[in-house]
């Protein structure tokens, strides 16, 4: 619930920022055209609300670009008494920028969401299997473990990753052989062997089959 409320707040802030940028760009347009007679440099300010809208609201940036482009062309027409080719080109560039930014932003977020869903699905499978699973590096340092492992070794998740494979192994095991075994695994060779597992909290041991 707190995350949802925070998301709503961020959405409201984004809207206020975009609205403020739109109003500022239009006011600067009027000031630059009417009072200063500038017709080129100030239009770069239009890209700020267009880009922000493309990042936050995707394709709505195209509608905003149409609106701002129309304002730009109309203001130029009222001052010059005719359609100015330069204003039409710049209005067209607003649309191009809006389309590109919205497409890239939407694609990025779609990919990110797909990765998050895949990660969630993988986590569900990871924690649903009956076997205890260790993910570790070549030095035996623990990167992650599943819930079944926590149950088997009676260790909390916060502590599980602070230890190494050696800490979960009885000293009677041939620990010196582990680097060679891991090297074979990294080369794509399956390994299956018996092992005496050790619970770090109380030192009790139990037989395990390692794959």
């Amino acid at each position: 619930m707190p995350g949802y409320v925070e998301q709503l707040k961020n959405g409201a802030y984004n809207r206020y920022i975009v609205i403020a940028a739109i109003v500022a760009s239009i006011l600067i347009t009027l000031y630059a055209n009417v009072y200063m007679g500038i017709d080129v440099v100030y239009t770069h300010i239009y890209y700020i609300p267009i880009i922000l809208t493309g990042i936050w609201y995707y394709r709505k940036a195209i509608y905003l670009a149409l609106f701002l482009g129309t304002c730009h062309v109309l203001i130029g027409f009222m001052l010059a008494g005719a359609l100015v080719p330069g204003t039409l080109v710049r209005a067209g560039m607003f649309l191009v920028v809006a389309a590109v930014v919205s497409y890239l932003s939407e694609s990025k977020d779609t990919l990110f969401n797909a990765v998050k869903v895949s990660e969630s699905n993988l986590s569900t499978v990871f924690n649903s299997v009956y076997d205890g699973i260790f993910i570790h590096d070549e030095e035996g340092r623990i990167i992650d473990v599943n819930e079944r492992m926590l149950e088997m070794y009676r260790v909390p998740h916060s502590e599980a990753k602070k230890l190494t494979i050696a800490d979960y192994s009885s000293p009677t095991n041939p620990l010196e052989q582990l680097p060679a075994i891991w090297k074979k695994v990294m080369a794509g060779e399956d390994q299956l062997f018996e092992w005496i597992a050790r619970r770090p909290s109380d030192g009790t041991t139990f037989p395990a089959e390692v794959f």
Side-chain angles (χ1 to χ4, degrees), residues 126-135 144-153 206 208-211:
F126 184 61
N127 288 309
S128 297
V129 297
Y130 181 76
D131 297 321
I133 298 177
F134 289 89
I135 299 178
D144 201 4
V145 296
N146 68 345
E147 293 180 0
R148 177 58 178 160
M149 175 273 167
L150 301 177
E151 296 175 1
M152 293 171 62
Y153 287 83
F206 58 94
E209 189 176 67
V210 180
F211 177 75

Side-chain angles (χ1 to χ4, degrees), residues 32-102:
N33 270 167
V34 176
Y35 294 102
M36 300 183 65
I38 301 174
D39 186 43
V40 178
V41 177
Y42 82 89
T43 55
H44 297 338
I45 298 173
Y46 277 145
Y47 292 115
I48 296 175
I50 290 173
I51 291 173
L52 290 177
T53 303
I55 292 173
W56 292 330
Y57 302 107
Y58 309 144
R59 299 178 190 179
K60 290 181 179 179
I62 297 175
Y63 300 113
L64 176 60
L66 281 170
F67 170 72
L68 293 178
T70 301
C71 290
H72 177 54
V73 170
L74 289 177
I75 291 173
F77 179 79
M78 288 187 293
L79 293 175
L83 291 176
V84 181
T87 60
L88 294 175
V89 171
R90 287 189 287 275
M93 286 303 301
F94 296 162
L95 287 172
V96 172
V97 171
V100 171
V101 173
S102 62

Side-chain angles (χ1 to χ4, degrees), residues 176-190:
E176 70 282 355
Q177 295 181 12
L178 288 179
I181 294 174
W182 294 337
K183 188 174 181 180
K184 291 180 180 178
V185 171
M186 294 294 291
E189 299 180 25
D190 293 337

